[in-house]
PDB file of all heavy atoms in Angstrom:
ATOM      1  N   ALA A 189       2.668 -24.511   2.836  1.00 97.00           N
ATOM      2  CA  ALA A 189       3.404 -24.132   4.044  1.00 97.00           C
ATOM      3  C   ALA A 189       2.589 -24.463   5.291  1.00 97.00           C
ATOM      4  O   ALA A 189       3.131 -24.859   6.334  1.00 97.00           O
ATOM      5  CB  ALA A 189       3.730 -22.641   4.007  1.00 97.00           C
ATOM      6  N   ILE A 190       1.269 -24.301   5.170  1.00 97.00           N
ATOM      7  CA  ILE A 190       0.412 -24.606   6.306  1.00 97.00           C
ATOM      8  C   ILE A 190       0.343 -26.122   6.523  1.00 97.00           C
ATOM      9  O   ILE A 190       0.451 -26.601   7.662  1.00 97.00           O
ATOM     10  CB  ILE A 190      -0.976 -23.990   6.106  1.00 97.00           C
ATOM     11  CG1 ILE A 190      -0.867 -22.465   6.199  1.00 97.00           C
ATOM     12  CG2 ILE A 190      -1.954 -24.511   7.136  1.00 97.00           C
ATOM     13  CD1 ILE A 190      -2.045 -21.738   5.613  1.00 97.00           C
ATOM     14  N   ASP A 191       0.181 -26.861   5.428  1.00 96.00           N
ATOM     15  CA  ASP A 191       0.210 -28.324   5.552  1.00 96.00           C
ATOM     16  C   ASP A 191       1.462 -28.793   6.281  1.00 96.00           C
ATOM     17  O   ASP A 191       1.410 -29.658   7.157  1.00 96.00           O
ATOM     18  CB  ASP A 191       0.197 -28.966   4.159  1.00 96.00           C
ATOM     19  CG  ASP A 191      -1.146 -28.859   3.480  1.00 96.00           C
ATOM     20  OD1 ASP A 191      -2.144 -28.558   4.190  1.00 96.00           O
ATOM     21  OD2 ASP A 191      -1.200 -29.068   2.253  1.00 96.00           O
ATOM     22  N   ASP A 192       2.582 -28.205   5.889  1.00 97.00           N
ATOM     23  CA  ASP A 192       3.867 -28.642   6.450  1.00 97.00           C
ATOM     24  C   ASP A 192       3.936 -28.442   7.956  1.00 97.00           C
ATOM     25  O   ASP A 192       4.749 -29.072   8.631  1.00 97.00           O
ATOM     26  CB  ASP A 192       5.024 -27.896   5.773  1.00 97.00           C
ATOM     27  CG  ASP A 192       5.173 -28.265   4.315  1.00 97.00           C
ATOM     28  OD1 ASP A 192       4.572 -29.278   3.907  1.00 97.00           O
ATOM     29  OD2 ASP A 192       5.876 -27.535   3.586  1.00 97.00           O
ATOM     30  N   GLY A 193       3.111 -27.549   8.479  1.00 96.00           N
ATOM     31  CA  GLY A 193       3.103 -27.311   9.913  1.00 96.00           C
ATOM     32  C   GLY A 193       2.174 -28.263  10.649  1.00 96.00           C
ATOM     33  O   GLY A 193       2.046 -28.174  11.861  1.00 96.00           O
ATOM     34  N   ARG A 194       1.522 -29.149   9.932  1.00 96.00           N
ATOM     35  CA  ARG A 194       0.611 -30.155  10.530  1.00 96.00           C
ATOM     36  C   ARG A 194      -0.398 -29.512  11.498  1.00 96.00           C
ATOM     37  O   ARG A 194      -0.357 -29.770  12.706  1.00 96.00           O
ATOM     38  CB  ARG A 194       1.422 -31.243  11.216  1.00 96.00           C
ATOM     39  CG  ARG A 194       2.248 -32.064  10.205  1.00 96.00           C
ATOM     40  CD  ARG A 194       3.142 -33.048  10.897  1.00 96.00           C
ATOM     41  NE  ARG A 194       4.195 -32.374  11.643  1.00 96.00           N
ATOM     42  CZ  ARG A 194       4.407 -32.559  12.941  1.00 96.00           C
ATOM     43  NH1 ARG A 194       3.677 -33.381  13.646  1.00 96.00           N
ATOM     44  NH2 ARG A 194       5.384 -31.901  13.527  1.00 96.00           N
ATOM     45  N   PRO A 195      -1.287 -28.686  10.994  1.00 95.00           N
ATOM     46  CA  PRO A 195      -2.200 -27.961  11.887  1.00 95.00           C
ATOM     47  C   PRO A 195      -3.192 -28.850  12.626  1.00 95.00           C
ATOM     48  O   PRO A 195      -3.711 -28.450  13.663  1.00 95.00           O
ATOM     49  CB  PRO A 195      -2.930 -27.018  10.930  1.00 95.00           C
ATOM     50  CG  PRO A 195      -2.821 -27.654   9.598  1.00 95.00           C
ATOM     51  CD  PRO A 195      -1.493 -28.345   9.587  1.00 95.00           C
ATOM     52  N   ASP A 196      -3.441 -30.033  12.066  1.00 95.00           N
ATOM     53  CA  ASP A 196      -4.465 -30.864  12.690  1.00 95.00           C
ATOM     54  C   ASP A 196      -3.901 -31.942  13.620  1.00 95.00           C
ATOM     55  O   ASP A 196      -4.660 -32.595  14.327  1.00 95.00           O
ATOM     56  CB  ASP A 196      -5.316 -31.542  11.602  1.00 95.00           C
ATOM     57  CG  ASP A 196      -5.982 -30.528  10.700  1.00 95.00           C
ATOM     58  OD1 ASP A 196      -6.495 -29.519  11.229  1.00 95.00           O
ATOM     59  OD2 ASP A 196      -5.975 -30.723   9.474  1.00 95.00           O
ATOM     60  N   THR A 197      -2.605 -32.131  13.576  1.00 95.00           N
ATOM     61  CA  THR A 197      -2.046 -33.271  14.311  1.00 95.00           C
ATOM     62  C   THR A 197      -0.964 -32.859  15.317  1.00 95.00           C
ATOM     63  O   THR A 197      -0.853 -33.466  16.383  1.00 95.00           O
ATOM     64  CB  THR A 197      -1.452 -34.303  13.332  1.00 95.00           C
ATOM     65  OG1 THR A 197      -0.561 -33.624  12.441  1.00 95.00           O
ATOM     66  CG2 THR A 197      -2.553 -34.991  12.536  1.00 95.00           C
ATOM     67  N   ALA A 198      -0.166 -31.859  14.978  1.00 96.00           N
ATOM     68  CA  ALA A 198       0.864 -31.455  15.931  1.00 96.00           C
ATOM     69  C   ALA A 198       0.206 -30.781  17.119  1.00 96.00           C
ATOM     70  O   ALA A 198      -0.912 -30.271  17.026  1.00 96.00           O
ATOM     71  CB  ALA A 198       1.849 -30.500  15.249  1.00 96.00           C
ATOM     72  N   PRO A 199       0.892 -30.772  18.279  1.00 97.00           N
ATOM     73  CA  PRO A 199       0.328 -30.032  19.405  1.00 97.00           C
ATOM     74  C   PRO A 199       0.053 -28.595  18.984  1.00 97.00           C
ATOM     75  O   PRO A 199       0.840 -27.997  18.247  1.00 97.00           O
ATOM     76  CB  PRO A 199       1.450 -30.113  20.452  1.00 97.00           C
ATOM     77  CG  PRO A 199       2.251 -31.304  20.068  1.00 97.00           C
ATOM     78  CD  PRO A 199       2.145 -31.442  18.589  1.00 97.00           C
ATOM     79  N   PRO A 200      -1.037 -28.027  19.443  1.00 96.00           N
ATOM     80  CA  PRO A 200      -1.452 -26.706  18.948  1.00 96.00           C
ATOM     81  C   PRO A 200      -0.367 -25.646  18.975  1.00 96.00           C
ATOM     82  O   PRO A 200      -0.196 -24.910  18.000  1.00 96.00           O
ATOM     83  CB  PRO A 200      -2.619 -26.344  19.879  1.00 96.00           C
ATOM     84  CG  PRO A 200      -3.183 -27.638  20.309  1.00 96.00           C
ATOM     85  CD  PRO A 200      -2.035 -28.599  20.377  1.00 96.00           C
ATOM     86  N   LEU A 201       0.355 -25.544  20.077  1.00 96.00           N
ATOM     87  CA  LEU A 201       1.378 -24.499  20.167  1.00 96.00           C
ATOM     88  C   LEU A 201       2.545 -24.787  19.215  1.00 96.00           C
ATOM     89  O   LEU A 201       3.097 -23.870  18.601  1.00 96.00           O
ATOM     90  CB  LEU A 201       1.871 -24.385  21.611  1.00 96.00           C
ATOM     91  CG  LEU A 201       2.431 -23.040  22.050  1.00 96.00           C
ATOM     92  CD1 LEU A 201       1.517 -21.893  21.666  1.00 96.00           C
ATOM     93  CD2 LEU A 201       2.660 -23.028  23.548  1.00 96.00           C
TER      94      LEU A 201
END
Side-chain angles (χ1 to χ4, degrees):
Chain A
I190 291 162
D191 287 344
D192 293 346
R194 294 175 292 124
D196 301 317
T197 51
L201 206 48

